[in-house]
């Protein structure tokens, strides 16, 4: 049996079997409701997500028991992304707080890093193959790379492009970062070594590409919210 986890207004798992022609979806009750972002599987198999309006990061174990964490500074909010490093930390971004931070998954003292003014609205945190955390900034229309020590590098958007409307980000399997672009109705692949972009136009107009993930075989899957479809590349 294969489980595909979904994070929308509730927490659920999509169970797909070889015998089933139609996937079975089961939802699980939540202890609280919030604007959920960043559903991620941790290295230990637990599921984590962030509640933007409640300013909590939540761990869900195999028995679906929830453990909430305050993301370092409880006075700042706007959780907008979640990712894990290989050192046992969960990283988070706060668009309202204009920071990226981290704390140990086992609990304990964490830290938040202030972002530069020209790229301080982080959304969609993802760990790149270089070990850094990457985000996009839809307000300033650029990308940010946060090194393990918290130093940030601002990555310009594709050249001669206006507007640039990033709406989703994920890491590829070949030293790349993928982005969806609502404004251009396109996908972008960024080589993290050369920082050069490659564009992939979506044939159907105005489909609003948004969330995206790369499968183990390298296939990119993305949502098209305007037409309620999934697309592979």
């Amino acid at each position: 049996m294969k489980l595909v986890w979904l994070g929308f207004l509730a927490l659920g798992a999509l169970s797909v079997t070889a015998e089933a022609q139609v996937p079975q979806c089961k939802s699980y009750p939540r202890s609280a409701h919030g604007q959920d972002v960043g559903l991620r599987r941790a290295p230990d198999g637990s599921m984590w997500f962030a509640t933007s309006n409640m300013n909590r990061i939540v761990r869900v174990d195999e028995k679906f028991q929830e453990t909430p964490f305050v993301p370092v500074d409880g006075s700042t909010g706007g959780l907008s992304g979640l990712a894990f490093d290989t050192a046992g930390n969960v990283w988070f971004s706060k668009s309202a707080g204009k920071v990226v931070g981290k704390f140990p998954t086992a609990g304990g003292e964490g830290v938040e890093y202030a972002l530069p003014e020209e790229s301080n609205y982080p959304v969609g945190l993802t760990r790149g193959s270089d070990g850094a955390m990457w985000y996009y900034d839809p307000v300033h229309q650029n990308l940010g790379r946060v090194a393990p020590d918290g130093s940030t590098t601002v990555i310009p958007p594709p050249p001669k492009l206006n507007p640039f409307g990033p709406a989703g980000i994920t890491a590829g399997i070949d030293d790349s970062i993928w982005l969806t672009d609502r404004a251009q109705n396109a996908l972008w692949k960024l080589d993290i070594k050369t920082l050069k972009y490659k564009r992939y136009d979506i044939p159907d107009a105005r489909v609003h590409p948004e969330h995206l993930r790369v499968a183990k075989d390298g296939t990119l899957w993305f949502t098209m919210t305007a037409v309620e479809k999934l697309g592979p590349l």
Side-chain angles (χ1 to χ4, degrees):
M1 178 180 291
K2 181 180 180 181
L3 294 179
V4 180
W5 286 89
L6 307 172
F8 300 104
L9 296 179
L11 185 66
L14 181 67
S15 174
V16 182
T17 66
E19 297 80 11
Q21 298 298 319
V22 179
Q24 302 294 317
C25 186
K26 182 179 180 181
S27 62
Y28 299 94
R30 289 274 311 284
S31 60
H33 295 283
Q35 296 175 357
D36 302 341
V37 297
L39 185 67
R40 296 286 186 272
R41 184 187 295 274
D44 66 357
S46 59
M47 301 302 299
W48 292 63
F49 64 93
T51 59
S52 181
N53 61 341
M54 297 182 65
N55 199 30
R56 293 292 184 271
I57 293 175
V58 183
R59 178 185 187 272
V60 185
D61 64 20
E62 67 277 2
K63 296 182 180 179
F64 304 103
Q65 298 298 309
E66 298 183 9
T67 303
F69 296 86
V70 177
V72 186
D73 185 355
S75 66
T76 60
L79 285 164
S80 56
L82 203 65
F84 296 92
D85 63 18
T86 57
N89 298 302
V90 55
W91 287 72
F92 57 87
S93 56
K94 292 181 179 179
S95 55
K98 302 179 180 181
V99 299
V100 167
K102 65 180 178 179
F103 63 86
T105 56
E109 186 176 354
V111 62
E112 292 187 352
Y113 304 105
L115 298 173
E117 185 176 351
E118 64 270 26
S119 185
N120 62 4
Y121 196 89
V123 180
L125 203 63
T126 190
R127 182 172 65 88
S129 60
D130 58 352
M133 296 293 161
W134 293 72
Y135 65 87
Y136 66 89
D137 183 332
V139 175
H140 298 92
Q141 297 187 17
N142 55 33
L143 306 182
R145 177 190 181 274
V146 183
D149 64 0
S151 58
T152 302
T153 302
V154 179
I155 311 299
K160 299 179 180 179
L161 186 69
N162 187 26
F164 175 52
I169 186 170
T170 196
I173 62 173
D174 56 352
D175 294 328
S176 61
I177 296 292
W178 286 88
L179 300 150
T180 52
D181 187 341
R182 279 189 175 185
Q184 299 294 320
N185 199 57
L187 307 171
W188 295 96
K189 184 180 183 181
L190 173 69
D191 186 315
I192 63 176
K193 293 181 178 180
T194 65
L195 297 183
K196 292 183 178 180
Y197 291 89
K198 184 176 181 179
R199 176 172 178 154
Y200 297 84
D201 287 306
I202 300 173
D204 298 335
R206 299 189 184 91
V207 298
H208 287 181
E210 190 167 345
H211 303 293
L212 73 170
R213 288 291 181 270
V214 176
K216 291 182 179 180
D217 63 359
T219 302
L220 177 73
W221 291 87
F222 60 97
T223 62
M224 296 176 279
T225 57
V227 293
E228 299 182 351
K229 292 182 179 180
L230 291 175
L233 178 64

